[in-house]
PDB file of all heavy atoms in Angstrom:
ATOM      1  N   ARG A 192       6.887   1.897  16.119  1.00 97.00           N
ATOM      2  CA  ARG A 192       6.343   1.456  17.409  1.00 97.00           C
ATOM      3  C   ARG A 192       6.525   2.568  18.429  1.00 97.00           C
ATOM      4  O   ARG A 192       7.604   3.109  18.586  1.00 97.00           O
ATOM      5  CB  ARG A 192       7.057   0.188  17.876  1.00 97.00           C
ATOM      6  CG  ARG A 192       6.496  -0.340  19.189  1.00 97.00           C
ATOM      7  CD  ARG A 192       7.228  -1.591  19.644  1.00 97.00           C
ATOM      8  NE  ARG A 192       6.960  -2.723  18.777  1.00 97.00           N
ATOM      9  CZ  ARG A 192       5.886  -3.507  18.866  1.00 97.00           C
ATOM     10  NH1 ARG A 192       4.975  -3.264  19.788  1.00 97.00           N
ATOM     11  NH2 ARG A 192       5.726  -4.514  18.055  1.00 97.00           N
ATOM     12  N   ASP A 202      -5.452  18.975  20.620  1.00 90.00           N
ATOM     13  CA  ASP A 202      -4.953  18.983  19.234  1.00 90.00           C
ATOM     14  C   ASP A 202      -5.549  17.818  18.455  1.00 90.00           C
ATOM     15  O   ASP A 202      -5.085  16.688  18.555  1.00 90.00           O
ATOM     16  CB  ASP A 202      -3.420  18.899  19.262  1.00 90.00           C
ATOM     17  CG  ASP A 202      -2.830  18.930  17.860  1.00 90.00           C
ATOM     18  OD1 ASP A 202      -3.601  19.020  16.876  1.00 90.00           O
ATOM     19  OD2 ASP A 202      -1.596  18.860  17.748  1.00 90.00           O
ATOM     20  N   THR A 203      -6.589  18.108  17.658  1.00 92.00           N
ATOM     21  CA  THR A 203      -7.298  17.043  16.946  1.00 92.00           C
ATOM     22  C   THR A 203      -6.531  16.525  15.739  1.00 92.00           C
ATOM     23  O   THR A 203      -6.895  15.507  15.171  1.00 92.00           O
ATOM     24  CB  THR A 203      -8.682  17.553  16.477  1.00 92.00           C
ATOM     25  OG1 THR A 203      -8.495  18.714  15.659  1.00 92.00           O
ATOM     26  CG2 THR A 203      -9.558  17.913  17.662  1.00 92.00           C
ATOM     27  N   LEU A 206      -2.210  12.314  16.689  1.00 98.00           N
ATOM     28  CA  LEU A 206      -2.645  11.011  17.172  1.00 98.00           C
ATOM     29  C   LEU A 206      -2.375  10.885  18.665  1.00 98.00           C
ATOM     30  O   LEU A 206      -1.373  11.380  19.167  1.00 98.00           O
ATOM     31  CB  LEU A 206      -1.869   9.914  16.444  1.00 98.00           C
ATOM     32  CG  LEU A 206      -2.102   9.805  14.931  1.00 98.00           C
ATOM     33  CD1 LEU A 206      -1.103   8.844  14.322  1.00 98.00           C
ATOM     34  CD2 LEU A 206      -3.527   9.379  14.629  1.00 98.00           C
ATOM     35  N   LYS A 207      -3.272  10.195  19.363  1.00 97.00           N
ATOM     36  CA  LYS A 207      -3.024   9.853  20.762  1.00 97.00           C
ATOM     37  C   LYS A 207      -2.212   8.564  20.775  1.00 97.00           C
ATOM     38  O   LYS A 207      -2.634   7.553  20.217  1.00 97.00           O
ATOM     39  CB  LYS A 207      -4.337   9.667  21.507  1.00 97.00           C
ATOM     40  CG  LYS A 207      -4.124   9.323  22.974  1.00 97.00           C
ATOM     41  CD  LYS A 207      -5.434   9.344  23.750  1.00 97.00           C
ATOM     42  CE  LYS A 207      -5.177   9.087  25.226  1.00 97.00           C
ATOM     43  NZ  LYS A 207      -6.394   9.230  26.035  1.00 97.00           N
ATOM     44  N   ILE A 210       2.136   3.474  24.595  1.00 98.00           N
ATOM     45  CA  ILE A 210       3.298   2.607  24.460  1.00 98.00           C
ATOM     46  C   ILE A 210       2.882   1.280  23.854  1.00 98.00           C
ATOM     47  O   ILE A 210       1.918   0.659  24.296  1.00 98.00           O
ATOM     48  CB  ILE A 210       3.973   2.391  25.835  1.00 98.00           C
ATOM     49  CG1 ILE A 210       4.559   3.714  26.342  1.00 98.00           C
ATOM     50  CG2 ILE A 210       5.057   1.335  25.732  1.00 98.00           C
ATOM     51  CD1 ILE A 210       5.042   3.657  27.772  1.00 98.00           C
ATOM     52  N   GLY A 211       3.600   0.847  22.831  1.00 98.00           N
ATOM     53  CA  GLY A 211       3.306  -0.421  22.168  1.00 98.00           C
ATOM     54  C   GLY A 211       2.454  -0.283  20.922  1.00 98.00           C
ATOM     55  O   GLY A 211       2.357  -1.225  20.142  1.00 98.00           O
ATOM     56  N   ASP A 212       1.821   0.886  20.730  1.00 98.00           N
ATOM     57  CA  ASP A 212       1.060   1.101  19.497  1.00 98.00           C
ATOM     58  C   ASP A 212       2.003   1.009  18.300  1.00 98.00           C
ATOM     59  O   ASP A 212       3.163   1.409  18.383  1.00 98.00           O
ATOM     60  CB  ASP A 212       0.426   2.508  19.488  1.00 98.00           C
ATOM     61  CG  ASP A 212      -0.828   2.597  20.352  1.00 98.00           C
ATOM     62  OD1 ASP A 212      -1.331   1.540  20.785  1.00 98.00           O
ATOM     63  OD2 ASP A 212      -1.282   3.719  20.598  1.00 98.00           O
ATOM     64  N   SER A 218       3.763   9.495   5.773  1.00 94.00           N
ATOM     65  CA  SER A 218       4.852  10.354   5.301  1.00 94.00           C
ATOM     66  C   SER A 218       5.799  10.620   6.456  1.00 94.00           C
ATOM     67  O   SER A 218       5.370  10.765   7.601  1.00 94.00           O
ATOM     68  CB  SER A 218       4.327  11.662   4.717  1.00 94.00           C
ATOM     69  OG  SER A 218       3.798  12.476   5.732  1.00 94.00           O
ATOM     70  N   ILE A 224       7.287  16.788  11.973  1.00 92.00           N
ATOM     71  CA  ILE A 224       6.063  16.047  12.212  1.00 92.00           C
ATOM     72  C   ILE A 224       5.814  15.029  11.113  1.00 92.00           C
ATOM     73  O   ILE A 224       5.831  15.364   9.936  1.00 92.00           O
ATOM     74  CB  ILE A 224       4.856  17.010  12.280  1.00 92.00           C
ATOM     75  CG1 ILE A 224       5.120  18.126  13.298  1.00 92.00           C
ATOM     76  CG2 ILE A 224       3.588  16.262  12.628  1.00 92.00           C
ATOM     77  CD1 ILE A 224       5.302  17.651  14.705  1.00 92.00           C
ATOM     78  N   TRP A 225       5.573  13.800  11.514  1.00 96.00           N
ATOM     79  CA  TRP A 225       5.233  12.745  10.554  1.00 96.00           C
ATOM     80  C   TRP A 225       3.742  12.524  10.535  1.00 96.00           C
ATOM     81  O   TRP A 225       3.015  12.932  11.445  1.00 96.00           O
ATOM     82  CB  TRP A 225       5.937  11.447  10.928  1.00 96.00           C
ATOM     83  CG  TRP A 225       7.427  11.491  10.772  1.00 96.00           C
ATOM     84  CD1 TRP A 225       8.196  12.574  10.461  1.00 96.00           C
ATOM     85  CD2 TRP A 225       8.332  10.398  10.954  1.00 96.00           C
ATOM     86  NE1 TRP A 225       9.525  12.211  10.439  1.00 96.00           N
ATOM     87  CE2 TRP A 225       9.636  10.894  10.727  1.00 96.00           C
ATOM     88  CE3 TRP A 225       8.159   9.052  11.278  1.00 96.00           C
ATOM     89  CZ2 TRP A 225      10.762  10.084  10.807  1.00 96.00           C
ATOM     90  CZ3 TRP A 225       9.288   8.254  11.369  1.00 96.00           C
ATOM     91  CH2 TRP A 225      10.570   8.758  11.127  1.00 96.00           C
ATOM     92  N   LEU A 229      -3.297   5.200  12.707  1.00 98.00           N
ATOM     93  CA  LEU A 229      -3.369   4.444  13.957  1.00 98.00           C
ATOM     94  C   LEU A 229      -4.816   4.353  14.395  1.00 98.00           C
ATOM     95  O   LEU A 229      -5.515   5.376  14.446  1.00 98.00           O
ATOM     96  CB  LEU A 229      -2.530   5.143  15.033  1.00 98.00           C
ATOM     97  CG  LEU A 229      -2.566   4.523  16.425  1.00 98.00           C
ATOM     98  CD1 LEU A 229      -1.976   3.122  16.435  1.00 98.00           C
ATOM     99  CD2 LEU A 229      -1.832   5.401  17.419  1.00 98.00           C
ATOM    100  N   ASN A 230      -5.288   3.146  14.679  1.00 95.00           N
ATOM    101  CA  ASN A 230      -6.672   2.957  15.115  1.00 95.00           C
ATOM    102  C   ASN A 230      -7.669   3.592  14.146  1.00 95.00           C
ATOM    103  O   ASN A 230      -8.602   4.287  14.542  1.00 95.00           O
ATOM    104  CB  ASN A 230      -6.881   3.553  16.523  1.00 95.00           C
ATOM    105  CG  ASN A 230      -5.995   2.874  17.560  1.00 95.00           C
ATOM    106  OD1 ASN A 230      -5.698   1.689  17.448  1.00 95.00           O
ATOM    107  ND2 ASN A 230      -5.557   3.623  18.551  1.00 95.00           N
ATOM    108  N   VAL A 233      -6.116   8.870  10.677  1.00 97.00           N
ATOM    109  CA  VAL A 233      -4.895   9.460  10.125  1.00 97.00           C
ATOM    110  C   VAL A 233      -4.598  10.746  10.887  1.00 97.00           C
ATOM    111  O   VAL A 233      -5.482  11.580  11.089  1.00 97.00           O
ATOM    112  CB  VAL A 233      -5.064   9.772   8.617  1.00 97.00           C
ATOM    113  CG1 VAL A 233      -3.857  10.541   8.090  1.00 97.00           C
ATOM    114  CG2 VAL A 233      -5.254   8.478   7.841  1.00 97.00           C
ATOM    115  N   VAL A 241       8.626   7.568  18.771  1.00 96.00           N
ATOM    116  CA  VAL A 241       8.522   6.237  18.170  1.00 96.00           C
ATOM    117  C   VAL A 241       9.888   5.665  17.793  1.00 96.00           C
ATOM    118  O   VAL A 241      10.862   6.393  17.640  1.00 96.00           O
ATOM    119  CB  VAL A 241       7.640   6.274  16.901  1.00 96.00           C
ATOM    120  CG1 VAL A 241       6.253   6.828  17.218  1.00 96.00           C
ATOM    121  CG2 VAL A 241       8.295   7.078  15.788  1.00 96.00           C
ATOM    122  N   LYS A 247      12.001  -4.580   6.072  1.00 58.00           N
ATOM    123  CA  LYS A 247      12.234  -6.006   5.901  1.00 58.00           C
ATOM    124  C   LYS A 247      12.930  -6.512   7.153  1.00 58.00           C
ATOM    125  O   LYS A 247      14.092  -6.219   7.373  1.00 58.00           O
ATOM    126  CB  LYS A 247      13.097  -6.228   4.673  1.00 58.00           C
ATOM    127  CG  LYS A 247      12.437  -5.640   3.443  1.00 58.00           C
ATOM    128  CD  LYS A 247      12.944  -6.306   2.181  1.00 58.00           C
ATOM    129  CE  LYS A 247      12.029  -5.980   1.016  1.00 58.00           C
ATOM    130  NZ  LYS A 247      12.688  -5.809  -0.217  1.00 58.00           N
ATOM    131  N   LYS A 250      14.657 -12.742   9.600  1.00 58.00           N
ATOM    132  CA  LYS A 250      14.416 -13.781  10.603  1.00 58.00           C
ATOM    133  C   LYS A 250      15.741 -14.441  10.923  1.00 58.00           C
ATOM    134  O   LYS A 250      16.456 -14.865  10.021  1.00 58.00           O
ATOM    135  CB  LYS A 250      13.422 -14.799  10.050  1.00 58.00           C
ATOM    136  CG  LYS A 250      12.079 -14.153   9.781  1.00 58.00           C
ATOM    137  CD  LYS A 250      10.970 -15.195   9.833  1.00 58.00           C
ATOM    138  CE  LYS A 250       9.655 -14.534  10.158  1.00 58.00           C
ATOM    139  NZ  LYS A 250       8.714 -14.458   9.104  1.00 58.00           N
ATOM    140  N   GLN A 251      16.053 -14.507  12.188  1.00 58.00           N
ATOM    141  CA  GLN A 251      17.346 -15.092  12.606  1.00 58.00           C
ATOM    142  C   GLN A 251      17.275 -16.600  12.456  1.00 58.00           C
ATOM    143  O   GLN A 251      16.366 -17.206  12.950  1.00 58.00           O
ATOM    144  CB  GLN A 251      17.619 -14.741  14.059  1.00 58.00           C
ATOM    145  CG  GLN A 251      17.740 -13.252  14.273  1.00 58.00           C
ATOM    146  CD  GLN A 251      19.039 -12.685  13.726  1.00 58.00           C
ATOM    147  OE1 GLN A 251      19.994 -13.424  13.525  1.00 58.00           O
ATOM    148  NE2 GLN A 251      19.072 -11.405  13.471  1.00 58.00           N
TER     149      GLN A 251
END
Side-chain angles (χ1 to χ4, degrees):
R192 182 181 291 277
D202 181 0
T203 57
L206 296 170
K207 181 171 184 174
I210 294 171
D212 282 348
S218 70
I224 307 298
W225 292 6
L229 176 64
N230 299 328
V233 173
V241 303
K247 302 203 165 144
K250 297 205 156 109
Q251 298 287 340

